[in-house]
């Protein structure tokens, strides 16, 4: 009934209704939380600019196929870059499905999604997995939810972030989290952090200032390597260990 509706640009719909449309011109889609996802179900949305979805990948409880590109036909996170349309700029994740809440952004969720410049996470997220946003070179800002307690290795490496505030709820930060974030200028670290892990800011050549929390006792290796714009660091009194080439 709707197969010739090629000029539709905005739609709020349950996912099953998409099969009724030819939506190559669709620019905005808001999918309800009761959707059932199949691999590649959005592969024809070649003009999409804004996408609102309840979760990432197969379903909210999934332990496999948790990469964003799954809905565009990517069989693994390594195919995100080729599967996700370059027109897509904004992704909003609502995180609510039938009383459940999205609590983790899994490893490599948005790996290689280089065209997306705005990703909004639900307030319920408590953990960000390894390389979750690695290679998101257009992503200039990220609001890390206040419930997040851990950030995995390389979570934001090679991204386009210019500034970031890590909430005080975060107790664990992985290695190489901001590796080669060449546009990163400022970072606010959580007050209770006890260590700066290896390579944390390695290659952040635009970074001008970092306030290291007084609770930090260890600075790992190459944490500030190749930070060409960083001229001064105020080390905390309780610092016990500094790694090689820090």
């Amino acid at each position: 009934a709707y197969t010739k509706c090629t000029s539709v640009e905005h739609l709020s719909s349950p996912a099953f209704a998409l099969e009724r449309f030819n939506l190559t011109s669709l620019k905005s889609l808001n999918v309800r939380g009761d959707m059932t996802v199949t691999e590649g179900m959005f592969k024809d949305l070649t003009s999409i600019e804004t996408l609102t979805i309840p979760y990432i990948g197969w379903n909210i409880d999934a332990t496999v196929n948790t990469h964003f590109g799954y809905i565009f036909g990517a069989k693994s996170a390594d195919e995100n870059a080729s599967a996700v349309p370059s027109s897509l700029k904004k992704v909003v994740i609502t995180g609510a499905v039938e009383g459940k809440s999205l609590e983790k952004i899994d490893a490599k969720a948005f790996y290689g999604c280089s065209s997306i410049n705005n990703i909004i996470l639900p307030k319920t997220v408590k953990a960000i997995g390894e390389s979750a946003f690695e290679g998101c070179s257009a992503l200039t800002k990220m609001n890390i939810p206040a419930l997040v307690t851990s950030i995995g290795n390389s979570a934001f490496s090679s991204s386009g972030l210019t500034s970031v505030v890590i909430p005080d709820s975060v107790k664990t930060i992985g290695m190489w989290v901001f590796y080669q974030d060449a546009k990163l200028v400022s970072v606010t670290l959580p007050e209770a952090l006890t260590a700066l892990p290896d390579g944390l800011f390695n290659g952040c050549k635009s970074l001008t200032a970092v306030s290291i929390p007084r609770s930090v006792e260890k600075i790992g290796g190459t944490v500030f390597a190749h930070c060409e714009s960083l001229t001064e660091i105020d080390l905390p009194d309780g610092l016990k260990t500094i790694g090689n080439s820090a």
Side-chain angles (χ1 to χ4, degrees), residues 190-194 211-217 234-239:
E191 286 298 324
L193 198 63
T194 58
S211 177
I212 302 176
R214 288 175 292 178
S215 55
V216 169
E217 298 180 350
D234 186 13
L235 300 177
D237 294 336
L239 185 64

Side-chain angles (χ1 to χ4, degrees), residues 89 110 113-120 132-143 155-156 158-163 181 183:
K89 304 302 179 185
F110 287 91
C113 293
S114 58
S115 65
I116 302 174
N117 58 32
N118 190 4
I119 300 174
I120 299 176
F133 302 98
E134 181 176 352
C136 293
S137 55
L139 187 66
T140 58
K141 61 182 179 179
M142 169 60 67
N143 183 17
F156 297 100
S158 300
S159 77
L161 290 177
T162 57
S163 65
D181 283 358
K183 298 178 181 179

Side-chain angles (χ1 to χ4, degrees), residues 106-221:
D106 282 289
K108 286 191 164 185
F110 287 91
Y111 178 83
C113 293
S114 58
S115 65
I116 302 174
N117 58 32
N118 190 4
I119 300 174
I120 299 176
L121 304 180
K123 296 178 181 180
T124 54
V125 170
K126 298 179 180 179
I128 296 175
E130 294 187 8
S131 301
F133 302 98
E134 181 176 352
C136 293
S137 55
L139 187 66
T140 58
K141 61 182 179 179
M142 169 60 67
N143 183 17
I144 300 176
L147 294 181
V148 171
T149 59
S150 65
I151 299 175
N153 297 341
S154 303
F156 297 100
S157 67
S158 300
S159 77
L161 290 177
T162 57
S163 65
V164 63
V165 176
I166 303 176
D168 288 338
S169 58
V170 174
K171 308 302 180 186
T172 304
I173 297 178
M175 299 182 293
W176 310 95
V177 167
F178 300 107
Y179 176 61
Q180 290 192 345
D181 283 358
K183 298 178 181 179
L184 187 63
V185 175
S186 65
V187 177
T188 300
L189 296 171
E191 286 298 324
L193 198 63
T194 58
L196 302 187
D198 293 353
L200 183 60
F201 299 112
N202 189 321
C204 295
K205 62 182 182 180
S206 299
L207 190 65
T208 57
V210 176
S211 177
I212 302 176
R214 288 175 292 178
S215 55
V216 169
E217 298 180 350
K218 178 182 178 180
I219 296 177

